Amino acid sequence: MCSIILRIGAQGVFIGANRDEMVERAWEPPGEFWPGVIAGRDRLAGGTWLGMNRHGVVAAVLNRTGTLGPAAGKRSRGELPVMALRETSAEAAARVLAGLDAGAYRPFNLVVADAAGAFLLRGLGAGQPDVARLGEGVSMITSGEPNDETHPRIARHLPRFAAAAFEDWAALLADATGPWESALNIPPKDGFATVCSSLIALPCPPGKAQWRFAAGRPDVAAFVALAL
C-alpha cells in the first residue's frame, strides 16, 4: 500500500507521500509526460501515482486494501490523477471526478489538493466515488479510511507527523524501523517495497509550489527539488 500525509491549514497544504509497489514494476521519475503536468509515469499502464499541474493542483491515487495490481476488464487507476490534473483547482477536480463510474476501476483512494484545501474521493467498486473535503490539521491515508488508527501504520505514524514540523517530515518518511506491518518506509519483502517518496508544499496565499522527490527508498535516495 502507499501512504500520503497532508497538513492542511491557513498557511497552505503540505504533503508527504511514499509509494509502495512491486519492485520489478518499471516507472519513470516525475517529468512533463502530459502537457502542463509534472508527474511520475508507470511504464506498465502508462498512468501516474502522483502529479502536479501548472495551477498548483496535486493528485495522488492509492489502492484500497486487497486490490494491488491490474484486473481484467478494469481501467487503470493511474489515469485518475491525470484526469484530475486537467482542472484548475482541487475543488473543480473533485467535482468532475465525482461523476465517474467507480465500477470501471478497482477500488481506490484519490486525493486532490491545492493551496486552498484537499479532497478525498473513495472509489468502492460500484456507483460513483464518495467525495469528502479533508479537514484542517494532519490527515494520513493508506489503503482504507483516513486517520483510521485501527491500521497499524496510521496508529504508529499519524501522531508523529502531527507533532513534527513539515521541515522534519523527510526523516519520518525515511523511517524503516519497526514491524513490517506498521513500517512507513517498507524494506523489500516478497518483491514489494517502498520505491520512491515525495514532499510537496502548496503555500497559501498561493505562491511558488515546491516538490522534492526521492527516486528510491527515502532512507537511501536523497530528496531533490524538481523544476516546476
Side-chain angles (χ1 to χ4, degrees):
M1 77 202 73
C2 301
S3 300
I4 186 166
I5 304 98
L6 303 97
R7 170 166 280 147
I8 302 168
Q11 294 182 321
V13 176
F14 302 86
I15 299 169
N18 278 357
R19 184 189 184 210
D20 309 327
E21 186 53 85
M22 300 303 296
V23 296
E24 293 186 355
R25 184 163 180 161
W27 55 276
E28 296 172 271
E32 193 170 353
F33 299 109
W34 298 270
V37 172
I38 302 296
R41 182 165 64 177
D42 175 61
R43 288 184 179 175
L44 177 64
T48 188
W49 63 94
L50 173 65
M52 180 191 302
N53 69 18
R54 63 167 65 98
H55 304 286
V57 180
V58 170
V61 68
L62 304 88
N63 301 333
R64 287 182 67 89
T65 300
T67 67
L68 180 67
K74 299 291 185 180
R75 301 178 66 92
S76 169
R77 289 168 289 197
E79 69 184 31
L80 296 171
V82 179
M83 289 183 196
L85 295 173
R86 296 172 185 159
E87 306 303 323
T88 60
S89 71
E91 184 172 6
R95 183 170 59 250
V96 169
L97 271 68
L100 286 176
D101 173 14
Y105 304 85
R106 301 196 79 188
F108 62 84
N109 285 332
L110 178 69
V111 175
V112 291
D114 58 20
F119 298 82
L120 173 63
L121 289 81
R122 300 183 307 139
L124 303 179
Q128 294 177 318
D130 172 76
V131 182
R133 179 184 284 272
L134 294 173
E136 289 196 358
V138 176
S139 289
M140 183 172 181
I141 301 162
T142 59
S143 59
E145 303 310 306
N147 303 331
D148 178 7
E149 295 195 12
T150 65
H151 191 293
R153 185 182 295 185
I154 292 177
R156 179 180 172 202
H157 294 282
L158 177 59
R160 304 174 72 200
F161 280 90
F166 180 65
E167 292 75 15
D168 298 326
W169 281 18
L172 297 180
L173 291 172
D175 182 4
T177 65
W180 195 88
E181 292 75 14
S182 65
L184 182 59
N185 177 20
I186 300 177
K189 180 179 179 182
D190 299 328
F192 185 79
T194 296
V195 297
C196 61
S197 186
S198 291
L199 286 162
I200 297 174
L202 305 173
C204 187
K208 179 64 174 176
Q210 300 176 16
W211 184 353
R212 291 190 292 145
F213 181 75
R217 292 185 62 215
D219 58 333
V220 177
F223 284 93
V224 177
L226 300 180
L228 301 176

